Amino acid sequence: MNAADVMTRPVYTVEPTVTVRAASALLVDHGFSALPVVEPGGLLVGIVSGSDLLVANLERAATTVDRIMTAPVISAPLTASPTELASAVLGHRLRCLPVVDARGSVVGVVSRGDLLRVLTPDDDVLAVRVDRLLTAYSRTRRWDVEVAGGTVVVAGPFDDEAERRVVTALVRTVPGVAGVELRPALGPVRAS
């Protein structure tokens, strides 16, 4: 796995002559944290962050991106591993890391969220989704949820067979669930 597998594309970029106002609108419209700044041929020349744009909008001093962008910019090659990408993002406190091809043209970006998606096991994400669904159903956290290989194990007390069927049906609605196993909690032991 490398940057090509992790990065978000298509990538939105701006040229140095784009106005601060237009860059701000693009950033807001798409929910990005930063925009790579490229020459007309696509070569990376800088990056403009939401913070840069916010300051420029408040001060109303700069009118174009080239006056506020950070240059030179840290970037990663298409061949960078997830570990290398994470090291660059964390080591330089970046929210957005442009990915460039051999010519230096921007072909994608890697965000912290992209890295978290790659580094977080699918079973963990599935467990959180199922737990959230069951908590919403019961209005309390009644069951423990574990996932292995897409099979969801729900452990805890069930009121009756009808509730077991409902819980099973609910869990099966979550995309990615391969199977469901219920492990009812044992009731209190009665003294004889």
Side-chain angles (χ1 to χ4, degrees), residues 130-143:
V130 169
D131 186 61
R132 189 173 47 221
L133 178 66
L134 293 179
T135 299
Y137 161 72
S138 68
R139 296 190 180 113
T140 184
R141 193 165 186 282
R142 289 178 54 192
W143 300 287

Side-chain angles (χ1 to χ4, degrees), residues 7-90:
M7 69 186 188
T8 298
R9 59 182 148 194
V11 62
Y12 290 86
T13 61
V14 292
E15 292 184 1
T17 56
V18 166
T19 65
V20 166
R21 191 172 182 168
S24 297
L26 183 63
L27 196 98
V28 168
D29 189 40
H30 294 286
F32 302 139
S33 60
L35 293 167
V37 181
V38 298
E39 292 179 344
L43 292 177
L44 180 65
V45 295
I47 194 160
V48 63
S49 71
S51 297
D52 298 331
L53 293 167
L54 181 60
V55 168
N57 278 306
L58 288 173
E59 293 177 353
R60 300 196 188 280
T63 56
T64 56
V65 169
D66 60 343
R67 302 180 107 199
I68 62 168
M69 70 182 187
T70 300
V73 62
I74 296 165
S75 62
L78 279 165
T79 57
S81 71
T83 302
E84 293 167 325
L85 295 168
S87 293
V89 166
L90 295 173

Side-chain angles (χ1 to χ4, degrees), residues 127-146 152-155 158 163-164 166-174 180-182:
V128 167
R129 289 178 180 160
V130 169
D131 186 61
R132 189 173 47 221
L133 178 66
L134 293 179
T135 299
Y137 161 72
S138 68
R139 296 190 180 113
T140 184
R141 193 165 186 282
R142 289 178 54 192
W143 300 287
D144 291 321
V145 176
E146 293 182 16
V152 177
V153 176
V154 180
F158 295 93
E163 185 172 65
R164 286 189 281 279
V166 168
V167 167
T168 300
L170 282 172
V171 172
R172 289 187 189 280
T173 67
V174 178
V180 181
E181 181 182 330
L182 302 181

